[in-house]
Amino acid sequence: MDHGGHAGHDMATTPMRCKMNMLWNTDIIDTCIVFRSWHIHSNAQFVGSFLAIVALGVLYEYLRVFQRKLDYHIAVSVQKGKGRDSSRDRSGRNSPEGNYEEAGLLSGRRLLSTALTGTPVPAASRALRAIVYGTTVFLSFFLMLVFMTYNAYLIAAVVTGAALGHYIFGATINADAILADTTGGKGMACH
């Protein structure tokens, strides 16, 4: 008996492969989201995945607000400690770079000095800022990869999560800063 090249395998038990589309689509079953292990086999899995992506969008917006509040609290604590000698160089000048002219060009301090024109931030606070920033960047790129599935439903999940998160965590604005345009807002930037 000829099985048409199926070698005795029942089509119902053969797992389907991920559908990878580079065009706009509305596929649900056999959609893979970012990883092959995130393979949608049912409508219920798709709904769960949709809600998880919405939650990731909300989390991204929370992290953006958390980063601003963290920066504010660090700035307040640094401002309180500014009267100490920690921000003065050996000559007594208020300079976070210190006296780098004697160090010469090869030391690299002159190149770094342009990035260090603000108030120095303690190492623990810098580490916390870096962790939150890195997490935010990772999440933004992860959501971009979800968006790049070109699946209309998953794109809607990303946009819904971002909008919902912005609505929840964007309940207040600093009108003076916006009108003065001093916030350096990133608008639609990824991070």
Side-chain angles (χ1 to χ4, degrees), residues 53-59 61 155-167:
I53 293 167
V54 168
L56 290 175
V58 171
L59 176 62
E61 291 299 321
I155 290 170
V158 172
V159 172
T160 300
L164 185 60
H166 190 74
Y167 178 80

Side-chain angles (χ1 to χ4, degrees), residues 87-137:
S87 64
R88 296 182 182 271
D89 65 12
R90 285 184 216 145
S91 65
R93 293 179 289 180
N94 280 334
S95 173
E97 311 74 51
N99 192 359
Y100 60 88
E101 289 296 326
E102 291 84 22
L105 289 173
L106 298 177
S107 72
R109 290 191 71 181
R110 182 176 289 182
L111 296 174
L112 289 175
S113 68
T114 58
L116 300 174
T117 57
T119 305
V121 177
S125 296
R126 276 198 335 259
L128 181 57
R129 288 183 75 225
I131 289 168
V132 172
Y133 180 77
T135 303
T136 304
V137 169

Side-chain angles (χ1 to χ4, degrees), residues 38-56:
W38 195 350
H39 188 150
I40 307 301
H41 297 287
S42 68
N43 288 336
Q45 278 184 317
F46 194 84
V47 169
S49 296
F50 183 93
L51 294 174
I53 293 167
V54 168
L56 290 175

